[in-house]
Amino acid sequence: MREIQVKEITAKLRELFQSACYNLGEDVIEALDRARKAEESPIGVAILDEIIENAKIAREGVYPLCQDCGLAVVFIDLGQDVHLVGGSLEEAVNEGVRQAYKEGFLRKSVCDCFTRKNTGDNTPCILHVRIVPGEKIHIVCAPKGGGSENMSRVQLLPPAAGVEGVKKLVVDRVRESGSNPCPPIVVGVGIGGNLEQSAILAKRSLLRPLGNPNPSLELANLEQEILEKVNRLGIGPAGLGGRTTALAVHIEMTNCHIASLPVAININCHSHRHKEAVI
Amino acid sequence: MKEKAIKLKTPLTSEQVSKLKIGDRVLLSGVIYTSRDAAHKRIVDAMDKGEKTPMEIAGTVIYYAGPSPTRPGNPIGSVGPTTSYRMDSYAPRLIEKGLKGMIGKGSRGKEVIEAMKKHKAVYFGATGGAAALIARVVKKGQVIAYPELGPEAVNMLEVEDFPLVVINDVTGADLYEEGVKKYQK
Ligand code: SF4
């Protein structure tokens, strides 16, 4: 058994959220560069240039990538041989978020549902914990913008809809989202489970590095096929017309009930932010 | 799309905006105001009660944005556009009062487009998520109303060559529709 102080988790999250909001991942920058080379629309090229330049400016550490520094989503895989000491895990995680958003001059975007009063420190965060074998803690932070989250959906399809139904659902969702989620987007798709599991699968699929297909050949092919369909929609960078509507489609799938075919679509923008660490 | 950007300075007149066509690239300079849902509600409430609005509406350009916090010594934080449809229920009221331009991202509703045609106003798109880049065009920034709204307060921004694209012009044309049609397969 390994003893870990919860304040170590606070310190990690404080660092990770700031890093995520200022430093776009290399995989995203490479995907944007590839898209820039392939883009046929002149205005699309101009927009991609702005987005790539924006990432460079943010990296200097003064201006975050986007003014919407997101709802703070945290994934923790907690080794079952870890004994956490020094306080509550949930409080430690929220404290990390609080410190990161204050110290990093990040926008606080959490409010009461009806009065719309801002909580002032970007908490509470959304925390997903899994207990796993081992004595380490794996932490992922994923700030998620509201514009792209608003375009996401969960649908419980009838089983007869099959794989064709899934393809149609995803392509229609991207078409209807148009310019709202700040294209080029990353499309996360969770298939199977139930209502909430499909949504969590979709969100988790966004954490996979761009350029890494699903290890199952069947799903990798499906990802590629949907990506091609989506990029034929013509939405393009910033929705002004062009080839690059999505940088990637990621699918995660598990089994489901004999009566249903759950599909969740979680859209992320080009401000595709996540950082991880192991304690 | 014209290759060369058109330079404009606020306040704008009906004559100036009537010359703009969808797809035109514009570099906007001068004073603009940020406002999101909550501030729009208050501005329209003030108009209903016959009270003074935080800024003169005639000739003005409103930017749908809620910046990240300003670091000491800087004019503003990151300040990209927010999704515009959330302001659709308020926009026609302001356009009637002489608002000449709106800056945001995403499509507008029918009523807003009709109001733009009728009263001569345009809708500009700024690049969603290019918030750090846009921060660099802001020379001065100051909260002028509703500070209690935090990121949703009204800021006065003095901008220089803010890169924009005309999405809806005074004829009711829509670049999102036209641009997408061109590249659909
Ligand atoms: S959708 Fe993403 S890039 Fe666009 S404003 Fe929101 S967080 Fe920023």
Side-chain angles (χ1 to χ4, degrees), chain A residues 265-276:
Chain A
I265 303 160
N266 196 192
I267 296 188
N268 205 6
C269 45
H270 60 78
S271 211
H272 184 62
R273 299 159 287 191
H274 51 92
K275 295 282 176 212
E276 58 185 303

Side-chain angles (χ1 to χ4, degrees), chain B residues 24 43 46 59 62 75 78 103 107 125 133 175 184:
Chain B
D24 281 350
I43 293 170
I62 287 185
S78 282
I103 306 172
S107 299
L133 181 111
L175 179 63
Q184 229 164 30

